[in-house]
Amino acid sequence: MNEDRSKLLAQRWDDRAEGYDRYFVPRFAPWVATTTTTLLAHPLPPGPILVPCCGTFPELPAIAAAHPESEIVGIDISQGMLARARRRTTAHPRTRLLHGDALDIYSRWPGTAAAVISVFGLQQLPDPPTALAGWVSALRPGGVLSVTCWPDEPENDGPFALLDAVVNEVIPQTADDADWHLRLSDAVTSAGAEVEHDVPVAHPIIHPNAEAFWMAMTEGGRLRNLGMSHGETFVAQLRNRFLDRAPAGPWQHQPTARLIVARMPLGVSG
Ligand SMILES: C[S@@+](CC[C@H](N)C(=O)[O-])C[C@H]1O[C@@H](n2cnc3c(N)ncnc32)[C@H](O)[C@@H]1O
């Protein structure tokens, strides 16, 4: 990734780290559990377990419990997220954190990793199919990939959908590569692995109310960046539009992510 883009992205996540960890990490925990559970079912070859886009590293406890002897490496571009991840790694001496780009995984671990696990990082990368192929190529024969990402539209109804609608009305999205999600499975097989599961994964999330969701998005979500780029008045106007159309009281929804689990066949390296 070019250096300016990489710095900007890192800074955005530094700013959001506290809010994301406090509000979203507990609500996204069921997807972390679904993604890491796949590791319990698989014996792994030797080598490190890599966790690109680890953020504050909620994946760590389940991975360490399933594979206590393995080296586990969390990789993230944001020092702010890694500072919070450090609170989790102290309990796991075989774990280390690396400040770096998730796109560099293959060049650091070519065909040498036991597993690559990642939750909600892939969809943010500039070219997700190419990034995913790189992650597969880091696997040793017998190595396992377990990756969960958000599709462009995780729900038709609910706070994520309403937020998208309200934002898109005033900032029309440019369709950079609207079809990237159609190419993920091919990217995995082209890199040499066999897809074992490619499934939608929906879990319920509850927000105390629309206002609390909005606040969380301004502190730990994408609205924080919007405030910086478009100003607080603009965000206040968006907030009114959002709250006018949101239901009153606690708000439950069930967004759908995508889980891809694949294995590098024995006798093949990426
Ligand atoms: C939505 S958070 C998910 C974090 C964690 N996996 C979780 O489930 O809570 C996405 C993370 O990806 C990181 N990230 C985004 N682009 C990255 C890149 N190119 N290389 C490494 N990390 C990146 C961000 O800094 C952020 O911590």
Side-chain angles (χ1 to χ4, degrees):
M1 205 186 306
N2 90 42
E3 206 178 318
D4 287 348
R5 190 190 150 124
S6 166
K7 269 194 190 148
L8 182 65
L9 189 71
Q11 191 192 334
R12 286 179 171 173
W13 277 104
D14 289 347
D15 293 337
R16 292 180 188 183
E18 197 272 327
Y20 186 87
D21 199 34
R22 179 171 32 80
Y23 192 89
F24 290 105
V25 165
R27 287 174 170 79
F28 292 162
W31 284 275
V32 170
T34 313
T35 314
T36 51
T37 298
T38 57
L39 277 191
L40 294 169
H42 287 87
L44 294 180
I49 298 175
L50 308 179
V51 188
C53 305
C54 66
T56 64
F57 221 168
E59 301 91 343
L60 178 60
I63 298 173
H67 294 278
E69 299 308 318
S70 297
E71 182 194 13
I72 304 168
V73 188
I75 301 128
D76 204 280
I77 206 165
S78 155
Q79 292 280 24
M81 295 298 258
L82 290 176
R84 291 185 166 266
R86 228 154 261 132
R87 299 175 184 183
R88 293 195 167 93
T89 56
T90 47
H92 302 284
R94 297 189 64 80
T95 303
R96 68 188 169 101
L97 294 171
L98 189 69
H99 178 228
D101 195 329
L103 302 177
D104 296 339
I105 283 204
Y106 169 68
S107 55
R108 283 176 189 262
W109 290 276
T112 53
V116 175
I117 313 292
S118 189
V119 183
F120 297 149
L122 184 70
Q123 77 281 340
Q124 303 182 18
L125 302 179
D127 176 359
T130 302
L132 191 61
W135 294 357
V136 169
S137 302
L139 295 173
R140 218 178 253 278
V144 173
L145 174 94
S146 184
V147 172
T148 293
C149 64
W150 290 119
D152 282 342
E153 291 179 13
E155 62 184 10
N156 298 322
D157 193 21
F160 292 164
L162 180 57
L163 180 63
D164 276 348
V166 167
V167 171
N168 290 349
E169 281 164 17
V170 285
I171 313 174
Q173 298 299 298
T174 49
D176 287 347
D177 176 9
D179 290 342
W180 62 265
H181 55 97
L182 301 177
R183 293 184 281 114
L184 291 182
S185 182
D186 280 352
V188 172
T189 47
S190 306
E194 289 165 0
V195 175
E196 295 188 347
H197 304 284
D198 183 354
V199 289
V201 179
H203 292 292
I205 301 180
I206 299 177
H207 305 279
N209 49 48
E211 180 106 34
F213 172 78
W214 184 269
M215 184 65 82
M217 288 305 278
T218 56
E219 288 175 351
R222 61 193 263 220
L223 288 172
R224 188 167 188 100
N225 308 337
L226 213 57
M228 288 175 186
S229 58
H230 289 70
E232 294 313 322
T233 310
F234 176 83
V235 174
Q237 286 162 354
L238 273 189
R239 175 179 174 276
N240 292 341
R241 280 172 175 241
F242 180 85
L243 294 181
D244 280 351
R245 285 152 65 178
W251 197 356
Q252 175 162 336
H253 62 136
Q254 184 134 332
T256 302
R258 178 176 179 184
L259 169 68
I260 298 178
V261 179
R263 186 187 268 277
M264 189 65 92
L266 289 166
V268 176
S269 60

